[in-house]
Amino acid sequence: MVMEVSGWFVVLCLIVQLRQTICAYCGSSYYDPSDNTCCNGVLTSSKNQQCCGKKGYKPPYETCCNGVVNSPGGSHCCGYKAYTPPYKTCCNGKLNAPGGTYCCGKKAYTPPYLVCCNGVLNTPGKKLCCDKKTYDPDNETCCYGKLHPRNGLCCGTVLYNPEEQICCRGIVHTNKHRCCGTESYNPYSEQCCYGRHVKTRGFCY
């Protein structure tokens, strides 16, 4: 609450000049620090308060969160709101009630009831994450964030059969023998030139 200073007190400060004992300056007027609190140039109606921006507040009954007074208070701040764990949880600036053990994006959760995969909550039952989904590595394969419904080896984001195919830096080739960069070649009739180009054998230049 903003406090108006009585005229007699202002006159007393000007005449007696007791500015360092009972008179202090707040904004554009004098005040008595034993009766009021000055918060950034604004006079409040109570003494011995702490300042929250231009307002006074009384901990622990009230809490200042980023310039906003919260009543009742809390032990922590979540943005402009006060809260007390574990009844509530702050996740990236969003207050969750009831609380949780961990944060998944802006949502609170408690394992093993939920699983967080890259900011997305999934129901339990599978062991690992593939991008934003859970999967079972015994029956599924995750290739750089792409989920496949069977087991296999990854070549980039796809599966390949090493008995019939070859993976050259993320590119799958069939019926070839060796890799030259992302290309494949037959070493009996071709050769790899400078690790990048496949040429007819004997013709690197």
Side-chain angles (χ1 to χ4, degrees):
M1 181 181 296
V2 177
M3 177 70 177
E4 290 290 337
V5 181
S6 62
W8 68 265
F9 185 79
V10 174
V11 173
L12 176 64
C13 287
L14 291 174
I15 296 176
V16 184
Q17 295 183 352
L18 297 176
R19 301 180 186 180
Q20 295 182 353
T21 56
I22 66 170
C23 296
Y25 201 70
C26 184
S28 59
S29 62
Y30 295 103
Y31 75 103
D32 186 351
S34 63
D35 291 330
N36 311 110
T37 301
C38 181
C39 291
N40 295 316
V42 177
L43 199 61
T44 67
S45 59
S46 300
K47 62 181 179 179
N48 299 325
Q49 288 186 319
Q50 293 189 26
C51 291
C52 182
K54 293 185 177 181
K55 296 180 179 180
Y57 74 103
K58 294 182 179 180
Y61 310 104
E62 297 174 312
T63 302
C64 178
C65 293
N66 295 313
V68 176
V69 177
N70 288 256
S71 180
S75 59
H76 294 69
C77 287
C78 184
Y80 297 103
K81 297 180 180 179
Y83 73 102
T84 300
Y87 309 105
K88 296 180 180 180
T89 302
C90 183
C91 293
N92 295 316
K94 183 178 181 180
L95 197 57
N96 291 258
T101 308
Y102 300 99
C103 288
C104 184
K106 292 187 176 182
K107 296 180 179 179
Y109 75 103
T110 300
Y113 309 106
L114 294 171
V115 179
C116 181
C117 293
N118 290 327
V120 176
L121 284 176
N122 293 262
T123 55
K126 296 185 178 182
K127 303 175 182 178
L128 301 176
C129 288
C130 184
D131 192 22
K132 296 181 179 180
K133 298 180 179 180
T134 56
Y135 76 102
D136 183 358
D138 294 330
N139 301 302
E140 299 169 302
T141 303
C142 181
C143 294
Y144 294 95
K146 186 174 182 180
L147 190 60
H148 300 274
R150 58 187 175 88
N151 292 116
L153 297 178
C154 293
C155 182
T157 59
V158 301
L159 294 179
Y160 79 103
N161 184 353
E163 296 183 356
E164 300 176 354
Q165 300 167 311
I166 187 172
C167 176
C168 297
R169 295 186 180 180
I171 305 297
V172 177
H173 300 275
T174 58
N175 299 322
K176 295 290 183 176
H177 302 282
R178 295 180 183 176
C179 288
C180 181
T182 58
E183 302 178 50
S184 66
Y185 71 102
N186 187 335
Y188 295 103
S189 58
E190 301 169 310
Q191 63 184 3
C192 181
C193 299
Y194 316 112
R196 295 180 298 172
H197 305 290
V198 174
K199 301 291 184 179
T200 302
R201 193 169 183 81
F203 287 93
C204 275
Y205 55 87

